[in-house]
C-alpha cells in the first residue's frame, strides 16, 4: 500500500495514493522567449478545460520576470517544478546555494511539488555508459551528471542540499518527487542494470524521506517494452510511495502518436499497481516540435482515459460508468447521448 502523498494547490491539495483516483499532470514550459505567449495561453486553456488536469508542471529551462509556475498558481492549479532547470550554473557546475534558493523561491511561491534528481551517482553513470548506447535521457538528471563529471564535487548536488530540502518540504507541506535520471531512452534498455540500481536507490531515499515525515512520490520509467513493465512495477512498489510514470512509452515506433503509446504504457503499469499520477505525454514527444495547445489538451484527454481504466480495476465502476450502462439498456442504443434506437452506422441491422 503506497503511503498517501499530497500536492497542495491554491484551491486545496491533490491527494495521491492507492485509495485515490489516478491523477493527471499536464506539462508546459518555455525554452526561449518566443514560447512565453504560447505556454501562458496553454495554462489559461488548461485552467478552464472541461477535462482539466489535476496538476500542471512547469518544465521551463529559462528564467523570466514572471515564471510560468506563478501563472499556474494564479490560474488556480496545483503547480510542479524542477528547480535545477533555472538554477544558476557556470561551465556545467551547479551552484548549490542557488539550487536551494530556487527551490525555496518556488515552494514558498506556491509550488506544490518539486522534482529532484538525487540518484545520479558515478557508479550508475559508469554502468549506464557500459551497457547502453544512449546512457541517459533525463534532462534534469543530465544537468546533475554534467556537474558530477565537471569535478565540482564527488557528491550529487541534490544530496548535498537534501537535509535543507526535507526541512523546507516539511515546513511548507509540499511533495518531493524523486526523479528518474536513468530511465531508459529506448524500450531495449528498460529494466537493465542501471535502471535497477536507480530504482533501488529511489526506494531507499523514499524510505528515508518518509521517515522524516515528507510527502514523497517517485518518478517511473520513460520507455519500457510491455514485457518489462511487470518487473519495473514490482521494483517501484518497493518504495512504498506513489509512482509518477513518464509514460512509460511501450514502443519507440509511435512517433507522432506518443500520446496514444504513453496512455497504453501507463495503463499497463497502472494495472500492475505502480501508476498514481500520469504525465500527459503529447504527440510531439519525439518529433522535436513544441506541443501545440490542441495537442496538450489531447494529451490530457488520453491520460484521463488511461487513468479511468486503471481506476476501474482499483476502485471499481463509478456513477458515470453505471449511468452509461443504464442509458444503453433503457434506450437500446450504444450512441452516446441518444435516447432512441438506431443510428446511421448499423441501420436496420442494429442488434440492440
Amino acid at each position: 500500500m503506497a503511503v498517501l502523498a499530497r500536492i497542495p494547490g491554491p484551491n486545496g491539495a491533490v491527494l495521491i495514493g492507492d485509495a485515490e483516483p489516478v491523477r493527471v499532470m499536464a506539462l508546459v514550459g518555455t525554452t526561449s522567449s518566443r514560447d512565453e505567449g504560447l505556454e501562458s495561453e496553454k495554462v489559461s486553456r488548461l485552467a478552464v478545460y472541461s477535462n482539466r488536469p489535476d496538476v500542471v508542471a512547469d518544465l521551463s529551462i529559462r528564467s523570466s520576470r514572471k515564471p510560468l509556475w506563478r501563472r499556474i498558481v494564479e490560474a488556480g492549479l496545483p503547480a510542479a517544478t524542477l528547480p535545477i532547470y533555472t538554477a544558476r550554473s557556470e561551465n556545467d557546475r551547479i551552484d548549490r546555494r542557488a539550487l536551494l534558493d530556487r527551490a525555496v523561491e518556488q515552494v514558498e511561491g506556491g509550488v506544490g511539488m518539486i522534482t529532484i534528481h538525487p540518484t545520479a551517482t558515478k557508479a550508475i553513470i559508469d554502468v549506464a555508459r557500459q551497457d547502453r548506447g544512449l546512457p541517459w535521457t533525463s534532462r534534469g538528471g543530465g544537468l546533475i551528471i554534467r556537474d558530477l563529471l565537471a569535478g565540482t564535487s564527488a557528491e550529487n548536488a541534490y544530496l548535498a542540499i537534501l537535509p535543507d530540502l526535507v526541512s523546507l518540504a516539511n515546513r511548507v507541506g509540499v511533495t518531493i518527487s524523486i526523479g528518474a535520471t536513468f530511465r531508459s531512452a529506448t524500450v531495449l534498455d528498460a529494466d537493465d542494470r542501471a535502471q535497477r540500481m536507480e530504482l533501488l536507490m529511489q526506494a531507499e531515499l523514499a524510505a528515508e524521506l518518509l521517515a522524516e515525515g515528507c510527502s514523497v512520490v517517485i518518478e517511473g520509467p520513460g520507455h519500457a517494452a510491455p514485457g518489462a513493465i511487470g518487473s519495473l512495477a514490482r521494483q517501484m512498489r518497493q518504495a512504498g510511495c506513489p509512482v509518477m510514470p513518464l509514460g512509460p512509452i511501450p514502443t519507440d515506433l509511435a512517433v507522432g502518436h506518443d500520446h496514444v503509446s504513453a496512455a497504453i504504457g501507463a495503463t499497463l503499469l497502472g494495472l500492475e499497481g505502480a501508476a498514481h499520477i500520469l504525465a500527459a505525454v503529447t504527440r510531439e514527444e519525439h518529433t522535436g516540435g513544441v506541443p501545440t495547445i490542441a495537442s496538450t489538451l489531447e494529451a490530457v484527454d488520453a491520460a484521463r482515459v488511461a487513468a479511468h481504466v486503471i481506476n476501474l480495476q482499483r476502485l471499481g465502476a463509478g456513477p458515470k460508468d453505471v449511468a452509461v450502462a443504464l442509458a444503453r439498456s433503457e434506450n437500446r442504443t450504444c450512441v452516446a447521448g441518444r435516447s432512441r434506437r438506431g443510428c446511421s452506422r448499423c441501420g436496420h441491422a442494429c442488434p440492440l
Side-chain angles (χ1 to χ4, degrees):
M1 176 70 73
V3 174
L4 190 71
R6 62 188 303 278
I7 302 177
N11 297 311
V14 174
L15 301 181
I16 307 169
D18 288 336
E20 297 294 326
V22 175
R23 309 299 184 179
V24 170
M25 181 174 71
L27 312 176
V28 298
T30 60
T31 300
S32 70
S33 58
R34 298 188 303 274
D35 303 330
E36 287 191 9
L38 173 63
E39 299 306 310
S40 293
E41 180 61 21
K42 284 181 187 176
V43 173
S44 299
R45 292 284 296 276
L46 287 166
V48 299
Y49 191 44
S50 59
N51 211 16
R52 63 183 276 174
D54 302 291
V55 182
V56 178
D58 177 6
L59 308 185
S60 299
I61 58 173
R62 60 180 299 278
S63 299
S64 59
R65 286 187 300 172
K66 185 171 184 177
L68 200 57
W69 59 263
R70 288 195 187 277
R71 298 182 188 276
I72 296 169
V73 173
E74 289 175 0
L77 291 160
T81 58
L82 294 88
I84 190 71
Y85 281 175
T86 54
R88 187 170 64 252
S89 64
E90 186 174 346
N91 297 324
D92 292 335
R93 299 185 174 185
I94 298 168
D95 185 321
R96 270 71 171 155
R97 185 72 245 177
L99 182 57
L100 178 60
D101 288 346
R102 183 65 77 205
V104 170
E105 175 196 2
Q106 293 175 349
V107 167
E108 292 187 343
V111 168
M113 179 171 69
I114 57 170
T115 294
I116 65 175
H117 294 85
T119 56
T121 67
K122 290 187 175 179
I124 307 180
I125 290 171
D126 289 342
V127 169
R129 281 175 158 173
Q130 291 169 24
D131 293 358
R132 296 176 170 180
L134 191 61
W136 46 83
T137 189
S138 166
R139 192 162 65 178
L143 294 173
I144 295 291
I145 289 172
R146 288 184 196 176
D147 177 73
L148 276 169
L149 298 181
T152 304
S153 169
E155 185 178 30
N156 179 298
Y158 269 120
L159 287 180
I161 64 171
L162 192 56
D164 296 299
L165 290 175
V166 169
S167 177
L168 171 67
N170 284 336
R171 175 169 61 83
V172 184
V174 301
T175 288
I176 293 178
S177 165
I178 303 175
T181 294
F182 296 96
R183 62 183 188 267
S184 58
T186 72
V187 297
L188 300 182
D189 289 334
D191 200 24
D192 64 353
R193 283 199 302 162
Q195 190 161 39
R196 290 178 182 178
M197 289 171 70
E198 177 169 59
L199 286 169
L200 179 60
M201 189 173 179
Q202 283 179 299
E204 292 171 345
L205 284 169
E208 293 175 15
L209 296 184
L210 289 170
E212 294 278 353
C214 283
S215 174
V216 184
V217 304
I218 64 168
E219 268 190 0
H223 294 241
I229 286 177
S231 172
L232 291 169
R234 286 191 293 274
Q235 294 171 73
M236 288 185 286
R237 290 199 303 268
Q238 296 304 308
C241 63
V243 178
M244 182 172 68
L246 305 177
I249 291 174
T251 172
D252 298 325
L253 304 182
V255 176
H257 302 282
D258 278 315
H259 59 302
V260 177
S261 179
I264 293 170
T267 301
L268 293 173
L269 191 67
L271 296 179
E272 294 282 353
H276 300 89
I277 176 169
L278 310 183
V281 177
T282 68
R283 61 172 57 240
E284 291 92 349
E285 180 71 10
H286 295 104
T287 67
V290 174
T292 65
I293 292 174
S295 66
T296 298
L297 300 180
E298 174 187 63
V300 171
D301 290 340
R304 280 283 184 216
V305 173
H308 188 69
V309 173
I310 301 166
N311 289 336
L312 280 172
Q313 172 166 300
R314 282 181 26 200
L315 306 176
K320 291 183 178 180
D321 299 288
V322 173
V324 169
L326 286 175
R328 288 181 180 174
S329 174
E330 293 171 355
N331 299 321
R332 293 299 181 188
T333 177
C334 62
V335 179
R338 195 181 184 95
S339 59
R340 57 189 178 84
R341 300 185 189 191
C343 68
S344 57
R345 182 177 181 182
C346 293
H348 72 277
C350 176
L352 304 185

